[in-house]
Amino acid sequence: MTFDEARQCVLREVPPRRGERDTAPVLSAAGRILAEDIFADRDYPPFNRSARDGFAVRAADVPGELPVTGEVRAGQVFTGQMSAKGAVEIMTGAPLPDGADAVVMVEHVERRDNRVAIARSIKSGDNFTPKGTEAKTGEIVLRAGHRIGFTETAVLAMVGRDQVQVFRQPRVAIIPTGDEIVEAGETPLPHQIRNSNAWSLAAQVRRAGGVPQILPIARDSYESTFASVKKGLESDLVLLSGGVSAGKYDIVEQVLADLGAKFFFTRVKIQPGQPLVFGVIGEKFFFGLPGNPASTMVTFELFARAAIERLAGSDHSMLPLLRARLTRDFRHKPGLTRFLPARLSEDGSTVEPTGWQGSGDIPSLARANAFLVAEADRESWQVGDDIRVLLK
Ligand code: AMP
Ligand code: MG
């Protein structure tokens, strides 16, 4: 499968899960997925709200010189009568007096004792937000399936919610594999490697809205891997790292097959990450991610993140690819979509590939702030050419 086909496959096969719910205080619900529709408890704005400091008038009365007949501040109501050919001094956020249909900005008037001279004309409706134009009482302002970010948190506070229903977070089992891998807290022998993948995956799972559950390192034996995957299937999703290549001791696929797996793909035309397995056992989805650290991290972002977001109840997964200008020539061998560590400038306008020693080079990934995305059907780019970029 190509990159796009594989991504579409994940989105197609993993439907947004609308299962169990939790009630969460609004503050700790940030990042989680709404499990209920949220309704406007009243009109927004609840009154004709001045958008400016200035003078409430009838648009038909200006240009002209008008007597100032009163004042209305935010948090107050003008109780007087808005006289024809009169102006009421008004502050931003204050309710427009009945009878007025526009606000003249204070910058556009000349004050003369208790009169204001207004030189320019104004249209009815200018500089105030009419009642109910942002939302009407009873209207849905947030839908179930929406991720709660800071703007959604503002909406929840706006309608007076302090608790909110969210979907239960999926539990994601993380299974590192490999005879050469030791736990990060151990001192490795010269030919051994510390387990970093389980930890980077845990961080990625958490960022995607899942609850990571790191299992002990599975060894490159059928029995060890089989037992780990069985245990992992108690979670909502299984992520395996390593053991999916063509090597003699790469037995993850065999174990998954024997556990009754249906495979959606076992290879994707990307680098890093070609041998990449996605499937389902019963109702539990799994990914067999290649063990090279860059492959594990990149393939998670490209495919597994979307699956976790959907299992968390989200109805859409973003994978925005920006465009930036290359600061140097770049070429690659077409046929695979490549994701390479890169540095994007602060304003996002230019990008530079950072050197690396290949997909085992963890420090280079930490130095990068993005991945340069080289399309499979193009061979070379020149300085100044646009290229796609995936943020880290
Ligand atoms: P594999 O996909 O099992 O062939 O592993 C590919 C490479 O990734 C090998 O160099 C492994 O040592 C390395 N690797 C596999 N698992 C991990 C892990 N959990 N942490 C760090 N490196 C790993
Ligand atoms: Mg291995």
Side-chain angles (χ1 to χ4, degrees):
M1 276 192 192
T2 64
F3 163 56
D4 286 326
E5 286 165 349
R7 171 121 184 125
Q8 288 314 312
C9 172
V10 172
L11 297 178
R12 189 174 59 242
E13 297 299 339
V14 187
R17 195 189 56 187
R18 300 289 160 82
E20 298 154 57
R21 290 140 193 252
D22 297 332
T23 302
V26 165
L27 198 56
S28 55
R32 299 194 54 184
I33 309 298
L34 262 180
E36 57 172 330
D37 292 336
I38 302 293
F39 300 90
D41 60 319
R42 56 179 183 157
D43 282 353
Y44 289 93
F47 48 84
N48 292 330
R49 185 185 61 208
S50 180
R52 303 286 183 188
D53 295 319
F55 292 85
V57 298
R58 290 169 220 259
D61 294 343
V62 298
E65 189 173 304
L66 304 173
V68 178
T69 59
E71 178 193 275
V72 56
R73 306 163 54 162
Q76 292 185 345
V77 181
F78 181 71
T79 48
Q81 196 58 39
M82 176 84 194
S83 56
K85 296 229 173 248
V88 171
E89 192 164 12
I90 192 166
M91 312 302 150
T92 301
L96 196 73
D98 287 343
D101 65 355
V103 174
V104 181
M105 290 163 63
V106 69
E107 293 86 345
H108 293 166
V109 309
E110 199 185 310
R111 185 97 204 215
R112 294 179 186 153
D113 300 324
N114 62 345
R115 300 179 71 79
V116 276
I118 301 164
R120 40 180 113 185
S121 63
I122 191 166
K123 290 195 303 296
S124 173
D126 276 1
N127 295 326
F128 76 94
T129 311
K131 177 178 186 323
T133 51
E134 294 164 351
K136 291 244 184 303
T137 307
E139 192 180 314
I140 294 180
V141 282
L142 292 175
R143 285 188 188 279
H146 204 89
R147 182 176 293 271
I148 303 173
F150 61 90
T151 50
E152 292 73 12
T153 302
V155 172
L156 293 168
M158 174 183 97
V159 302
R161 298 292 299 261
D162 55 1
Q163 304 249 314
V164 70
Q165 297 268 302
V166 289
F167 290 114
R168 179 174 71 72
Q169 295 179 282
R171 286 185 299 270
V172 180
I174 297 172
I175 306 176
T177 74
D179 285 345
E180 77 281 31
I181 309 299
V182 300
E183 294 297 359
E186 290 176 42
T187 305
L189 296 171
H191 56 280
Q192 293 178 324
I193 300 290
R194 287 199 187 92
N195 171 20
S196 61
N197 286 347
W199 300 94
S200 52
L201 284 173
Q204 289 175 291
V205 165
R206 199 164 273 154
R207 192 166 80 159
V211 178
Q213 310 196 305
I214 300 180
L215 271 56
I217 298 160
R219 299 304 165 191
D220 292 325
S221 75
Y222 187 90
E223 296 70 28
S224 172
T225 305
F226 191 94
S228 283
V229 177
K230 271 210 91 160
K231 175 87 187 131
L233 288 170
E234 291 169 14
S235 298
D236 298 301
L237 175 79
V238 180
L239 296 178
L240 287 125
S241 115
V244 287
S245 309
K248 200 168 155 192
Y249 300 101
D250 291 327
I251 35 84
V252 163
E253 249 180 275
Q254 187 59 52
V255 165
L256 292 166
D258 291 352
L259 281 163
K262 176 178 169 196
F263 294 98
F264 299 120
F265 54 73
T266 55
R267 271 180 81 77
V268 183
K269 291 182 188 159
I270 58 170
Q271 197 180 54
Q274 268 200 78
L276 168 65
V277 176
F278 168 51
V280 67
I281 297 175
E283 303 213 298
K284 303 292 174 70
F285 292 97
F286 61 80
F287 287 88
L289 309 176
N292 257 315
S295 311
T296 311
M297 295 185 234
V298 167
T299 52
F300 178 94
E301 284 304 307
L302 300 180
F303 306 107
R305 176 158 66 77
I308 292 171
E309 287 167 347
R310 293 166 90 78
L311 292 177
S314 173
D315 51 13
H316 78 285
S317 297
M318 301 261 285
L319 189 72
L321 298 183
L322 322 174
R323 281 187 179 279
R325 271 177 293 113
L326 274 164
T327 55
R328 61 165 88 144
D329 293 352
F330 175 81
R331 56 191 306 122
H332 80 143
K333 190 160 160 275
L336 302 177
T337 306
R338 285 197 172 72
F339 298 83
L340 302 166
R343 277 210 74 85
L344 189 66
S345 61
E346 259 180 47
D347 67 0
S349 64
T350 61
V351 66
E352 168 163 44
T354 56
W356 74 329
Q357 301 301 319
S359 47
D361 187 348
I362 301 174
S364 74
L365 295 168
R367 281 194 298 271
N369 62 6
F371 294 96
L372 186 148
V373 185
E375 282 117 332
D377 56 3
R378 180 165 172 180
E379 186 166 1
S380 65
W381 287 257
Q382 247 120 60
V383 179
D385 281 355
D386 269 358
I387 195 161
R388 293 196 297 174
V389 176
L390 172 67
L391 284 179
K392 196 163 83 173

